[in-house]
Every structure is written in C-alpha cells, then in structure tokens.
Amino acid sequence: MASKLFVDVTPLKHSPDFRRLWLGNGISTFGGYMAAYAVM
C-alpha cells in the first residue's frame, strides 16, 4: 500500500537522457517562476 504513494524513479536512475529532460524541465520551471516574480 505504501509503495503506491511514492513515485517510481527507476527511469531516472537508468536513463541519462530522461534524467536530463527532468533536470531541464525543473530549471525551466524555476526560471519561469523567477521571471513572473521579476515582472510583478
């Protein structure tokens, strides 16, 4: 039951390309938040 509460991170461990995609997406999201804050 508890295992269904957590995200399966196996693809992040095994695929460098997928890891880069997630990292780039996170950086992009953070940059979007910073830009929105700067505009306000």
Side-chain angles (χ1 to χ4, degrees), residues 1-6:
M1 178 76 169
S3 64
K4 291 186 177 187
L5 297 175
F6 299 110

Side-chain angles (χ1 to χ4, degrees), residues 24-40:
N25 191 23
I27 291 170
S28 176
T29 300
F30 180 72
Y33 286 138
M34 294 298 287
Y37 180 76
V39 168
M40 286 194 302

Side-chain angles (χ1 to χ4, degrees), residues 6-35:
F6 299 110
V7 176
D8 180 20
V9 294
T10 305
L12 290 173
K13 292 179 183 177
H14 294 289
S15 175
D17 292 334
F18 192 62
R19 201 173 18 236
R20 284 188 210 106
L21 176 70
W22 269 88
L23 181 62
N25 191 23
I27 291 170
S28 176
T29 300
F30 180 72
Y33 286 138
M34 294 298 287

